[in-house]
């Protein structure tokens, strides 16, 4: 009794209880007649991985969000498998399998090659361990690499789990997952669903409920805060919402995200914006009071989500994902940060800087201010730069420029960017239509389009108002016969004086030859009377 009281007082409660003896939920096996999962929605390669593991004598199930989506009648985009086989045992059963990760060691089983390949992620059942008994480190993954190298279970000073590679039974594995609807297991062979935490009931009630104490679970892994928003956004269209108790600590727990490595935060931000629910994600962030403070670049996206250009980019990204088309993070981030680039560029042009160097300087400034070193200034930054630099080049439709443009690897991304600019009225619609025709036209049609561009250019030049120079009034002569304000020095060769009224005749200064007797800059003037 005393131990239970002390454990409860010190917060040593398990996720499944309010304190005391661990409770990992009651195993319920739900038959196909009750859960109603359509086997045709199950990816055959994931089913093959499960069958191979079971044939080798191991337990294996499809797990997580795939089970949730199958229960909702959706076709999952990704399939994960959970098993009691260790990563080394899993790797030994498949020809193309790779152990990855340090914090959580998992196996990627690869099917197919090239663009058609698919990765089935296989994880080993993990044990629930009291974090108070875990190894303690003062720093994070980067600052404590040497100390963490020999640890299987470790947490930092805030309670965030840095290592979790202790294997255990299925009921403990279910308890250490986040939401109840993500903690179910489906066996495609027997077609039963295994449920420990009433996830099936929550799915029917359309509720996202955290397993255990929400504040503790967010502290264990702060990225669960972002996952809560992502799941709420993804399922909001089906009527799902976060349970009040699970939502309450979200805002207060945001500060924990400061300890998460920036590279991981960057990846999680992209998941929020590029999984087909970007608009719904923005709405959830605002609804939950989390519009600011998660990640600086995400703050900019939320702030500008209602501007015509960024909103068009978010809507277009959602459309492409839902149509099964690829999306690139460089494109969306280029759209979000275009306002900064454009304003910086215009400010430099106003200072009479050359256009291209001015644009490059503006881009560098935006990278330093908004992105920092997260992208590594690698491919992501290079692709963003190409998209931006291409924009003024779309205005040049003469000579060989259009032919060179359409041959560039990033032309399509640059054109799609310009297409969005035309949709919101930033550039002329006719310009976007011209490039749309040119990139798909044959040689004869391209010649016609180039002629059309030339005629349009001539028409614009004719339409511009002609500025006529007003001739200067002849300056009044002083008594010496010199123009007003002049001295008795040499007369400028361009000066014109009236020939009437005794005024001196126009005189021309003789041009000196360089290198001659009287030539060269700074040579003495010729003698009078020469």
């Amino acid at each position: 009794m005393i131990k239970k009281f002390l454990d409860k007082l010190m917060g040593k409660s398990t996720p499944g209880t309010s304190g005391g003896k661990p409770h990992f939920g009651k195993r319920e096996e739900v038959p196909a007649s009750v859960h109603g999962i359509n086997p045709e929605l199950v990816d055959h390669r994931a089913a093959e991985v499960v069958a191979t593991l079971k044939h080798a004598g191991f337990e294996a199930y499809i797990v997580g969000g795939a089970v949730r989506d199958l229960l909702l009648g959706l076709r999952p985009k990704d399939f994960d498998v959970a098993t009691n086989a260790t990563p080394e045992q899993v790797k030994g059963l498949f020809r193309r399998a790779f152990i990855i990760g340090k914090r959580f060691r998992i196996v990627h089983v690869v099917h197919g090659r090239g663009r058609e390949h698919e990765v089935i992620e296989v994880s080993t059942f993990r044990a629930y361990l009291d974090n108070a008994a875990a190894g303690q480190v003062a720093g994070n993954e980067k600052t404590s690499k040497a100390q963490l190298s020999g640890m299987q279970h470790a947490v930092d000073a805030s309670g965030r789990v840095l290592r979790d590679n202790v294997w255990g039974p299925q009921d403990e594995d279910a308890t250490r997952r986040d939401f109840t609807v993500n903690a179910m297991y489906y066996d495609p062979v027997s077609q039963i669903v295994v449920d420990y935490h009433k996830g099936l009931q929550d799915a029917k009630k359309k509720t996202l409920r955290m397993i255990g104490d929400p504040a503790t679970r967010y502290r264990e892994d702060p990225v669960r805060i972002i996952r809560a928003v992502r799941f709420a956004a993804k399922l909001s269209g089906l009527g799902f919402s976060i349970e009040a108790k699970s939502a309450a600590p979200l805002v207060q727990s945001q500060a924990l995200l400061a300890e998460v490595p920036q590279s991981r935060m960057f990846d999680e931000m992209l998941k929020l914006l590029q999984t087909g629910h970007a608009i719904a994600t923005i709405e959830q962030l605002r609804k939950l009071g989390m519009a600011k403070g998660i990640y600086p670049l995400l703050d900019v996206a939320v702030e500008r989500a209602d501007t015509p250009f960024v909103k068009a980019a978010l809507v277009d990204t959602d459309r492409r994902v839902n149509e099964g088309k690829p999306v690139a993070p460089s494109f969306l981030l280029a759209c979000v940060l275009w306002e900064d680039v454009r304003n910086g560029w215009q400010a430099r042009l106003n200072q009479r800087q050359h256009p291209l160097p001015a644009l490059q300087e503006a881009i560098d400034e935006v990278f330093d201010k908004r992105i920092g070193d997260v992208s590594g200034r690698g491919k992501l930054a290079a692709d963003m730069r190409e998209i931006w630099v291409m924009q003024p080049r779309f205005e040049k439709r003469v000579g060989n420029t259009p032919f060179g443009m359409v041959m560039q690897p990033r032309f399509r991304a640059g054109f799609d960017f310009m297409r969005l600019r035309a949709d919101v009225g930033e550039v002329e619609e006719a310009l976007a239509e011209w490039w749309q025709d040119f990139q798909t036209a044959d040689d004869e049609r391209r010649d016609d389009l180039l002629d059309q561009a030339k005629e349009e250019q001539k028409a614009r030049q004719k339409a511009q108002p002609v500025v006529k120079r007003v001739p200067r009034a002849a300056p009044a002569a002083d008594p010496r016969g010199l123009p007003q304000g002049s001295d008795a020095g040499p007369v400028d060769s361009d000066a014109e004086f009236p020939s009437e009224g005794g005024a001196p005749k126009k005189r021309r200064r003789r041009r000196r030859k360089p290198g001659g007797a009287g030539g060269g800059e700074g040579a003495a003037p010729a003698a009078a009377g020469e």
Side-chain angles (χ1 to χ4, degrees):
M1 290 293 294
I2 295 176
K3 185 179 184 301
K4 289 182 179 180
F5 173 75
L6 290 175
D7 285 347
K8 185 175 182 180
L9 184 66
M10 297 177 66
K12 294 183 180 180
S13 58
T14 69
T17 67
S18 59
K21 185 179 179 180
H23 174 64
F24 299 107
K26 181 181 178 182
R27 178 185 176 99
E28 294 183 18
E29 295 187 358
V30 184
S33 59
V34 176
H35 61 66
I37 288 178
N38 181 1
E40 294 182 359
L41 296 177
V42 179
D43 187 282
H44 70 91
R45 288 164 287 198
E48 288 174 5
V49 171
V50 171
T52 300
L53 287 163
K54 294 189 71 171
H55 183 72
F58 299 107
E59 295 179 62
Y61 302 85
I62 292 172
V63 68
V67 182
R68 177 200 65 222
D69 290 350
L70 289 169
L71 287 169
L72 298 173
L74 305 175
R75 185 181 297 275
K77 294 181 179 178
D78 299 301
F79 284 83
D80 297 336
V81 171
T83 177
N84 62 346
T86 65
E88 290 76 14
Q89 290 171 330
V90 174
K91 187 177 186 299
L93 292 173
F94 299 93
R95 186 169 59 88
R96 298 181 65 207
F98 309 92
I99 298 175
I100 67 167
K102 294 180 180 178
R103 184 168 177 265
F104 299 117
R105 293 178 69 226
I106 59 178
V107 180
H108 278 180
V109 178
V110 182
H111 290 266
R113 295 184 181 275
R115 293 186 176 181
E116 301 301 321
H117 85 285
E118 181 180 4
V119 174
I120 305 298
E121 191 172 283
V122 183
S123 61
T124 303
F125 294 152
R126 284 176 170 78
Y128 167 77
L129 296 176
D130 193 337
N131 289 334
Q136 298 279 333
V137 297
N140 55 34
E141 289 93 332
K142 288 186 177 180
T143 60
S144 306
K145 280 184 178 180
Q147 190 177 359
L148 287 168
S149 61
M151 293 185 174
Q152 297 298 316
H153 184 215
V155 298
D156 65 9
S158 68
R160 181 167 64 95
V161 178
L162 301 181
R163 290 290 184 274
D164 188 4
N165 291 306
V166 181
W167 320 132
Q170 186 184 34
D171 60 346
E172 295 188 22
D173 183 76
T175 300
R176 58 166 295 281
R177 295 181 180 272
D178 45 26
F179 293 97
T180 59
V181 295
N182 294 336
M184 292 178 282
Y185 304 78
Y186 175 64
D187 182 353
V189 178
S190 64
Q191 296 188 23
I192 66 166
V193 169
V194 178
D195 185 7
Y196 288 93
H197 296 284
K198 309 295 182 184
L200 190 59
Q201 294 182 17
D202 286 342
K204 291 181 178 178
K205 291 189 295 184
K206 299 182 179 181
T207 298
L208 289 170
R209 178 169 60 89
M210 182 67 69
I211 297 172
D213 176 60
T216 302
R217 305 308 306 282
Y218 296 142
R219 187 164 57 252
E220 289 173 352
D221 184 2
V223 170
R224 287 180 178 140
I225 298 167
I226 301 176
R227 284 166 60 85
V229 176
R230 180 153 53 89
F231 292 143
K234 178 178 180 178
L235 300 173
S236 61
L238 299 175
F240 276 74
S241 60
I242 304 177
E243 175 207 33
K245 183 180 177 181
S246 299
L250 284 172
V251 175
Q252 186 179 359
S253 301
Q254 266 187 238
L256 299 170
L257 293 171
E259 296 299 320
V260 179
Q262 290 297 291
S263 58
R264 191 179 180 200
M265 287 297 299
F266 188 78
D267 291 341
E268 291 296 330
M269 177 203 68
L270 293 180
K271 289 179 183 178
L272 286 176
L273 299 177
Q274 289 198 287
T275 52
H277 310 281
I279 296 297
T281 294
I282 302 298
E283 293 176 357
Q284 284 294 324
L285 288 170
R286 291 170 174 171
K287 178 181 177 181
L288 295 168
M290 302 169 67
K292 287 187 177 181
I294 290 182
Y295 189 72
L297 197 51
L298 180 62
D299 292 349
V300 178
V302 175
E303 179 184 342
R304 296 176 180 174
D306 293 330
T307 61
F309 186 60
V310 175
K311 185 174 183 178
L314 294 171
V315 170
D316 187 64
T317 299
D318 285 350
R319 176 188 62 80
R320 289 184 64 86
V321 172
N322 293 322
E323 290 178 358
K325 297 179 179 179
V327 292
S330 56
F331 182 85
L332 182 57
L333 294 181
C335 291
V336 170
L337 297 179
W338 173 240
E339 179 179 327
D340 293 337
V341 173
R342 186 185 59 209
N343 292 343
W345 185 28
Q346 187 59 53
R348 287 166 172 80
L349 291 178
N350 293 341
Q351 296 171 2
R352 298 183 179 275
Q353 293 187 23
H354 192 276
L356 184 56
L359 179 56
Q360 297 284 13
E361 283 186 17
I363 293 171
D364 290 338
E365 183 180 58
V366 170
F367 282 154
D368 291 337
K369 180 180 178 182
R370 297 296 194 187
I371 297 182
D373 295 328
V374 173
S375 69
R377 296 297 173 90
K379 187 176 186 306
L380 176 71
D383 289 348
M384 293 171 65
R385 185 183 296 272
E386 281 192 62
I387 290 172
W388 287 328
V389 170
M390 215 177 287
Q391 299 311 300
R393 294 176 181 169
F394 282 113
E395 302 287 346
K396 299 179 181 180
R397 295 177 290 163
V398 294
N400 291 325
T401 299
F403 296 96
M405 285 280 287
V406 295
M407 295 299 291
Q408 292 191 24
R410 298 293 298 167
F411 169 78
R412 188 67 204 187
F415 170 76
D416 288 343
F417 190 92
M418 190 264 288
R419 172 77 263 181
L420 283 180
R421 293 175 63 209
D423 290 343
V424 300
E426 191 174 310
V427 296
E428 293 180 1
E429 178 71 23
L431 182 65
E433 291 178 354
W434 189 93
W435 280 101
Q436 178 67 55
D437 289 345
F438 187 85
Q439 62 186 295
T440 58
D442 56 23
D443 292 341
E444 185 177 352
R445 174 60 179 157
R446 284 183 173 183
D447 289 340
D448 291 340
L449 289 168
L450 290 173
D451 291 339
Q452 173 191 330
K454 289 179 182 178
E455 293 301 322
E456 290 176 359
Q457 185 176 8
K458 291 179 180 178
R460 283 194 299 269
Q461 290 174 347
K462 289 181 178 180
Q464 292 176 353
V466 178
V467 179
K468 295 183 178 180
R469 292 185 179 181
V470 179
R472 293 180 183 178
D478 67 5
R480 297 175 296 169
L482 298 175
Q484 185 179 2
S486 69
D487 56 21
V491 180
D492 186 73
S493 61
D494 292 331
E496 294 185 1
F497 305 104
S499 57
E500 299 176 0
K505 294 182 179 180
K506 189 190 318 183
R507 295 170 52 193
R508 294 186 180 275
R509 181 181 297 169
R510 190 164 55 187
R511 184 174 298 173
R512 303 184 183 115
K513 296 181 180 179
E521 187 176 354
E530 234 183 20

